[in-house]
């Protein structure tokens, strides 16, 4: 109970006598009992309201603490979210880099494949059954031509060798004549 809400019946009666106006009648006992009862009800109501106030203040403190904890949790979550966003961005950059490398490799592969296809087409043209027969015929012609050239060169070489032997004999003959 608060000190303001406490009262003593004797104090109340003395207060009424002291503050009363002369010539007035003293209040009746029932009136005084009603006033005391009313004051007691007021005091009880005041005590109940003080209890409610204390509960409300305690609840307000708890809400404040919860709010502070919630703000801290939000701050931590925001920090974690920012970190995760940065990690996702870093991973996205790595993925883009890998995609770029794969694109370069694919382009290089396609270029090499194109070269192989062209080479294959050329080889097919050269080694196709029709072209093979033509190529064999040309090779035989070249072989005959080379054989003929070889025969001519061999003949020419023999002629040169004979002339060389004759020239070797001539100095020996010229030396014998002198």
């Amino acid at each position: 109970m608060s000190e303001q809400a406490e009262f003593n019946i004797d104090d109340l009666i003395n207060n009424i006598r002291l503050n009363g106006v002369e010539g007035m009648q003293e209040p009746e006992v029932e009136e005084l009992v009603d006033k005391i009862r009313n004051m007691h009800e007021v005091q009880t109501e005041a005590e109940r309201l003080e209890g409610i106030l204390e509960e409300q203040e305690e609840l307000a403190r708890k809400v404040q603490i919860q709010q502070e904890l919630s703000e801290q949790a939000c701050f931590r979550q925001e920090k974690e979210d920012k970190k995760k966003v940065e990690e996702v961005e870093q991973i996205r950059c790595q993925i883009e880099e890998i995609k770029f490398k794969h694109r370069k490799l694919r382009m290089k592969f396609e270029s090499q494949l194109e070269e192989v296809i062209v080479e294959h087409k050329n080889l097919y043209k050269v080694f196709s059954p029709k072209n093979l027969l033509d190529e064999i015929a040309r090779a035989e012609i070249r072989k005959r031509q080379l054989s003929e050239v070889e025969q001519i060169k061999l003949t020419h070489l023999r002629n040169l060798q004979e002339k060389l032997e004759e020239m070797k004999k001539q100095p020996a003959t010229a030396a014998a004549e002198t």
Side-chain angles (χ1 to χ4, degrees):
M1 272 198 219
S2 75
E3 292 178 19
Q4 293 175 348
E6 292 181 16
F7 65 92
N8 189 335
I9 294 178
D10 293 330
D11 290 341
L12 182 61
I13 293 173
N14 287 335
N15 192 17
I16 291 173
R17 284 188 186 151
L18 292 174
N19 292 333
V21 179
E22 288 187 28
M24 287 185 69
Q25 291 183 349
E26 284 192 27
E28 293 182 21
V29 174
E30 286 179 19
E31 234 179 89
L32 289 175
V33 170
D34 282 342
K35 286 184 179 182
I36 291 172
R37 201 176 292 130
N38 284 339
M39 300 234 2
H40 184 62
E41 287 175 6
V42 168
Q43 180 181 0
T44 305
E45 182 65 18
E47 289 172 358
R48 187 181 72 79
L49 291 175
E50 282 181 10
I52 291 172
L53 179 63
E54 287 176 9
E55 288 175 6
Q56 292 294 325
E57 287 173 348
E58 181 63 27
L59 185 61
R61 282 191 294 273
K62 287 179 181 178
V63 167
Q64 179 68 27
I65 290 170
Q66 282 183 331
Q67 181 182 0
E68 289 172 2
L69 292 174
S70 179
E71 286 175 356
Q72 290 173 358
C74 278
F75 180 73
R76 279 193 305 273
Q77 186 64 42
E78 186 179 306
K79 224 173 153 181
E80 287 176 20
D81 289 349
K82 187 176 181 180
K83 184 178 178 183
K84 287 181 181 180
V85 165
E86 289 172 358
E87 289 173 356
V88 166
E89 182 63 23
Q90 186 179 17
I91 290 170
R92 188 191 65 73
C93 288
Q94 290 173 346
I95 289 171
E96 288 300 317
E97 186 177 317
I98 289 170
K99 282 182 178 179
F100 179 72
K101 287 179 181 177
H102 282 200
R103 195 174 306 121
K104 280 179 64 178
L105 287 173
R106 188 179 67 241
M107 289 172 59
K108 183 178 178 183
F109 171 77
E110 288 174 354
S111 174
Q112 289 174 341
L113 180 62
E114 185 66 31
E115 290 174 10
V116 167
I117 289 172
V118 168
E119 188 176 327
H120 174 69
K121 286 179 181 177
N122 291 337
L123 288 173
Y124 180 78
K125 285 179 185 177
V126 170
F127 294 107
S128 70
K130 180 183 179 254
N131 287 340
L132 269 177
L133 294 175
D134 292 342
E135 191 65 32
I136 291 172
R138 283 192 294 271
E140 287 176 356
I141 291 171
R142 273 188 244 126
K143 180 181 172 186
R144 267 188 261 127
Q145 288 173 345
L146 287 173
S147 290
E148 289 173 4
V149 169
E150 184 181 17
Q151 289 301 323
I152 292 171
K153 296 232 180 216
L154 282 173
T155 306
H156 185 63
L157 187 59
R158 274 189 232 123
N159 288 340
L160 286 175
Q161 196 161 0
E162 287 174 6
K163 284 183 182 178
L164 183 63
E165 285 178 19
E166 280 181 29
M167 291 172 97
K168 285 182 186 176
K169 288 181 187 176
Q170 281 180 0
T173 341
E177 288 180 10
T178 41

